Amino acid sequence: MALSKVQLVVLLMACFLLFTSQSKAYTINECNFRGKCNTTADCKVPCEDPEFPPGTIGTCVKDLLGSGFLCCCTVG
């Protein structure tokens, strides 16, 4: 069954939105790195430091200078 042009456009837009929502990239300037991690859950405590404002989000990201992962704390 052939897709109409409208259905094809909607499908492509949905794929694009799904891809972009899953691939948030952080720059070094946006991150306050706080210790090593294996999962994003490991970053909850380090990123709740009183030094950070409420709403700070911790994400486990690949260490660009090493082989491990680091907590990236960003203001959400």
Side-chain angles (χ1 to χ4, degrees):
M1 189 150 99
L3 292 175
S4 72
K5 289 181 182 179
V6 173
Q7 288 173 322
L8 182 59
V9 169
V10 170
L11 179 63
L12 290 174
M13 286 177 56
C15 290
F16 174 76
L17 291 174
L18 181 63
F19 177 74
T20 57
S21 68
Q22 297 296 320
S23 60
K24 168 78 170 123
Y26 294 102
T27 64
I28 291 175
N29 294 335
E30 292 176 335
C31 287
N32 288 304
F33 294 104
R34 298 289 178 176
K36 297 192 179 289
C37 59
N38 292 314
T39 67
T40 295
D42 297 338
C43 298
K44 182 172 174 58
V45 172
C47 293
E48 287 182 345
D49 190 298
E51 169 186 333
F52 297 118
T56 300
I57 300 168
T59 307
C60 191
V61 297
K62 180 134 178 68
D63 181 2
L64 298 177
L65 303 175
S67 60
F69 292 86
L70 297 172
C71 290
C72 168
C73 302
T74 58
V75 177

